[in-house]
Amino acid sequence: MSLKVTVLGSGTSHGVPAIGCDCAVCRSSDPRDRRTRPSILIEVQPGSNLSPLNEPAASPPIAAAADSPISAAARSILVDTSTDLRYQALTNNIRRVDTILFTHAHADHIFGLDDVRRFNAIQRTPIGCYGGAETLDSLRRMFAYMFSPTAQIGGGIPQLLLFQIAGPFSMGGVDIVPVPLLHGRLPVLGFRLGPFAYLTDCNRIPDESWPLLNGVHTVILDALRHRPHSTHFTVNEALDVVARLGAKRAYFTHICHDLPHAQTCRELPAGVELAYDGLVVEIA
Ligand SMILES: [Zn+2]
Ligand SMILES: [Zn+2]
Ligand SMILES: [Zn+2]
């Protein structure tokens, strides 16, 4: 199998620079210190044959996903629709989104959803959106104009199909394993595809989720800052996760303005670095 993962946004909810902040990172001229809101794009390279899962979780697959007409073309997978989606799509020349996976429904992860209209227009198909039950409920409530439209829709509304994730599922030969995480008290989802995992917005990996991560060698992981936080891993906590995973490569994301890119990377152990907007990670 082969995946191309592009970090579209590596910043925390405020983005970096933060509005009205004059700190060294917010004033930095290093482009890697400019962080938009968190999101990644996973492109499954043509001819990929994602290897079967080691141990599929016991929970049942979502029935609708396997039979969906959109499933066969799931080659360009967007994880979350960040506040900065339009800018990220233009910057990274994203021309196609087949599927959207949602980690949770916090504003920084969903408020770009309206921009998906452009992909509907280009592709002329609805786009499948996958998330946990609570996330989908929040989307329906927060974007009522999309899911309970009135007669006048002006410039149009995104054409979306919502699928509730109840366990691992496959699309177009790609196995997607949802990984339950805790973001403070809020349950959120990370995602595993083959040897790669994206684990953002979390400060704890529950015991039952560790087996789902067996064999992961490349991870993009939440690490907000050094100071403790009630809903995000610190750098040291994230390093503990990397060690326990045995991951060969780790990239930290959801980074706030406490962490200057170059200096922080110099302090991290081999194989671990801060992600940055535009970073491409190839997974062979
Ligand atoms: Zn977030
Ligand atoms: Zn700042
Ligand atoms: Zn969050």
Side-chain angles (χ1 to χ4, degrees):
M1 63 163 274
S2 145
L3 302 174
K4 178 186 173 193
V5 177
T6 304
V7 176
L8 303 179
S10 59
T12 190
S13 59
H14 294 287
V16 180
I19 294 172
C21 184
D22 297 314
C23 79
V25 175
C26 287
R27 286 186 296 111
S28 165
S29 58
D30 184 339
R32 297 168 302 179
D33 284 327
R34 302 187 76 81
R35 302 170 180 137
T36 60
R37 267 57 75 86
S39 177
I40 61 170
L41 183 74
I42 303 170
E43 291 167 277
V44 182
Q45 305 293 12
S48 291
N49 180 20
L50 285 190
S51 55
L53 305 169
N54 294 341
E55 286 194 33
S59 40
I62 45 174
D67 304 326
S68 161
I70 55 172
S71 62
R75 292 292 174 188
S76 182
I77 302 167
L78 181 65
V79 184
D80 292 330
T81 54
S82 93
T83 319
D84 297 307
L85 174 57
R86 174 178 171 275
Y87 172 81
Q88 292 166 343
L90 292 171
T91 305
N92 294 281
N93 195 24
I94 301 174
R95 300 287 175 130
R96 181 168 192 89
V97 169
D98 295 304
T99 297
I100 303 169
L101 306 178
F102 283 102
T103 60
H104 65 307
H106 280 166
D108 47 330
H109 297 258
I110 65 170
F111 274 7
L113 185 57
D114 194 77
D115 292 331
V116 167
R117 280 180 300 155
R118 274 300 296 155
F119 298 108
N120 289 137
I122 294 167
Q123 298 161 205
R124 299 175 180 279
T125 57
I127 295 174
C129 299
Y130 297 76
E134 201 172 322
T135 299
L136 298 187
D137 283 346
S138 296
L139 291 177
R140 288 189 192 94
R141 192 176 65 252
M142 296 166 86
F143 297 99
Y145 73 96
M146 295 181 192
F147 300 107
S148 313
T150 54
Q152 178 174 320
I153 55 173
I157 55 175
Q159 302 300 309
L160 307 170
L161 300 171
L162 298 184
F163 298 104
Q164 184 180 326
I165 295 174
F169 57 103
S170 293
M171 285 186 300
V174 183
D175 292 326
I176 298 173
V177 182
V179 181
L181 304 170
L182 280 170
H183 184 25
R185 286 192 302 271
L186 179 72
V188 307
L189 292 178
F191 295 101
R192 176 187 186 166
L193 287 81
F196 167 73
Y198 181 58
L199 311 174
T200 189
D201 289 67
C202 51
N203 64 337
R204 196 157 78 78
I205 299 177
D207 292 343
E208 56 274 24
S209 290
W210 282 97
L212 302 175
L213 296 167
N214 274 344
V216 164
H217 66 53
T218 302
V219 64
I220 299 179
L221 177 65
D222 186 329
L224 181 74
R225 63 189 189 189
H226 290 300
R227 290 176 293 133
H229 191 275
S230 57
T231 63
H232 293 277
F233 282 129
T234 64
V235 169
N236 280 337
E237 289 167 343
L239 286 171
D240 289 344
V241 171
V242 173
R244 180 168 170 186
L245 280 175
K248 289 200 278 282
R249 284 189 299 172
Y251 303 91
F252 292 163
T253 192
H254 216 292
I255 309 160
C256 84
H257 59 170
D258 285 12
L259 303 181
H261 183 91
Q263 181 194 326
T264 307
C265 285
R266 280 196 298 274
E267 296 164 357
L268 291 171
V272 184
E273 56 190 280
L274 296 188
Y276 54 88
D277 290 22
L279 170 70
V280 173
V281 181
E282 304 272 359
I283 291 122

